[in-house]
Amino acid sequence: AIVTFSDDNSRVRAELPTGESVEVLLHGATVISWKDAAGDEKLWLSEAAKLDGSKAVRGGIPVVFPVFGTAPDHEQTKTLPQHGFARTSRWEFLGKSTSEDSSSLSSPSVKLDFGLSSAAAGLDPLARERWPFAFNLIYSVTLTRDSLNTGIVVTNDGEKPFDCQVLLHTYLRVKDISSVTIEGLASTPYTDKVASTTNQTHPDPLTITAETDRVYTPSSLSAAVTVSESGVPKFRVTRDNLTDVVVWNPWTNKAAGMADFEPKDGFRQMLCVEPGSVSSWQVLEQGDAFEGAQTITLV
Ligand code: BG6
């Protein structure tokens, strides 16, 4: 695989010998592009997304840590900005690993590793002020011919225990939201952040016809979520150790209200399917680690 840095060192790009590519912005360790061998983009990125570090990226795969949304009733994180500070910190590129020996020529892969810790120069200053814990994050982005895997390891490096949530806020690119169906969440209890209800369920498939903001907690970790277009499966999302799946689409009004959301009808070309651990808190004592990952497979 070829791994290159942008001239301004703001991002790293990896391309497999077969042509698939991924691009990661050090700001937030945000995956901002994932293309197949034909050059077709798989992720949605707003045309008005700020890529200069001034704001969290609107699109791609922002990393949410240590709080999902805001948690006004949670002492440790109640003063943190929405979705925490991982997506607004500058991460360090730790290196790449590739598999290109003769045995793997037919299935090349490349893994990019990123790190952020409480001691890092790139840490959002808000974090130091408002979340005084010693932590270390390693985020790995692995590209294969037909999949993208992103995984995080959170370690408590200090004496004080802390609580955290993690979410991989993936903006999938679709051609037309009106022909999208989502399978794998049937009979799965969810909290609806739009209707303010809990413990709802619905049969398969789920379609998106209005603002949607839901936290599903499937009973089984091995349950995959499949996103189809016009009945043809496109993405299969599987999870390691991430018990929840957020489904989000801002629709007309919410998209209109976000300055960095362009084009305004871009919500028709996106769907967020976000694996995470957000319906409860991971409590990490000194030396404890929490590991979670998603794999998005092109089907
Ligand atoms: C989703 C949340 O994960 O992220 C939504 O469930 C939220 O409630 C959305 O609106 C986008 O958040 P932000 O901070 O990137 O605008």
Side-chain angles (χ1 to χ4, degrees):
I2 307 169
V3 175
T4 46
F5 270 91
S6 60
D7 290 341
D8 62 356
N9 266 340
S10 69
R11 54 183 86 176
V12 51
R13 180 176 184 278
E15 184 174 329
L16 295 178
T18 39
E20 297 81 1
S21 66
V22 66
E23 203 171 347
V24 185
L25 198 65
L26 293 183
H27 178 62
T30 316
V31 178
I32 51 170
S33 169
W34 169 31
K35 289 180 179 164
D36 65 14
D40 280 339
E41 180 60 59
K42 302 301 168 193
L43 300 176
W44 186 84
L45 178 66
S46 166
E47 288 170 10
K50 293 274 185 251
L51 303 181
D52 62 359
S54 60
K55 201 180 181 309
V57 176
R58 179 65 62 201
I61 314 180
V63 176
V64 170
F65 173 89
V67 60
F68 167 63
T70 54
D73 300 330
H74 184 258
E75 198 54 40
Q76 288 178 9
T77 60
K78 67 180 183 191
T79 61
L80 288 179
Q82 161 125 326
H83 292 339
F85 52 76
R87 64 176 186 166
T88 52
S89 294
R90 186 182 164 101
W91 293 56
E92 202 184 322
F93 177 57
L94 301 179
K96 60 158 182 179
S97 352
T98 54
S99 66
E100 278 170 39
D101 53 63
S102 48
S103 62
S104 65
L105 267 186
S106 57
S107 54
S109 73
V110 58
K111 177 162 84 78
L112 305 174
D113 290 323
F114 301 87
L116 179 71
S117 76
S118 39
L123 184 67
D124 184 336
L126 269 184
R128 212 163 268 128
E129 255 170 56
R130 302 187 189 175
W131 205 70
F133 299 100
F135 68 92
N136 188 56
L137 304 178
I138 304 280
Y139 186 56
S140 303
V141 175
T142 308
L143 175 70
T144 73
R145 292 210 63 186
D146 66 351
S147 71
L148 187 72
N149 171 284
T150 81
I152 191 164
V153 182
V154 182
T155 311
N156 183 345
D157 278 347
E159 282 167 16
K160 277 186 287 180
F162 63 73
D163 302 343
C164 66
Q165 298 176 328
V166 164
L167 177 92
L168 307 172
H169 199 307
T170 311
Y171 289 72
L172 299 174
R173 173 173 281 278
V174 297
K175 288 200 182 68
D176 177 3
I177 192 73
S178 68
S179 63
V180 167
T181 47
I182 303 155
E183 274 162 324
L185 297 171
S187 315
T188 301
Y190 66 89
T191 296
D192 191 327
K193 292 169 71 178
V194 179
S196 297
T197 53
T198 54
N199 269 309
Q200 303 287 299
T201 59
H202 58 72
D204 260 346
L206 169 66
T207 56
I208 308 289
T209 56
E211 185 193 347
T212 304
D213 192 356
R214 298 176 175 184
V215 183
Y216 288 85
T217 306
S219 56
S220 157
L221 256 176
S222 58
V225 176
T226 304
V227 176
S228 301
E229 292 191 70
S230 306
V232 182
K234 294 285 175 189
F235 300 102
R236 191 175 65 237
V237 180
T238 54
R239 296 164 287 128
D240 277 331
N241 213 22
L242 297 176
T243 50
D244 306 302
V245 180
V246 175
V247 176
W248 181 63
N249 185 297
W251 214 253
T252 321
N253 291 346
K254 279 279 163 64
M258 287 184 271
D260 62 352
F261 197 103
E262 288 290 350
K264 284 302 169 203
D265 62 359
F267 67 88
R268 297 189 189 281
Q269 273 76 55
M270 58 141 288
L271 171 70
C272 283
V273 176
E274 316 163 20
S277 173
V278 299
S279 58
S280 59
W281 295 90
Q282 295 294 333
V283 182
L284 301 190
E285 310 278 340
Q286 179 172 25
D288 281 356
F290 172 77
E291 221 176 315
Q294 66 170 346
T295 304
I296 313 162
T297 306
L298 303 175
V299 284

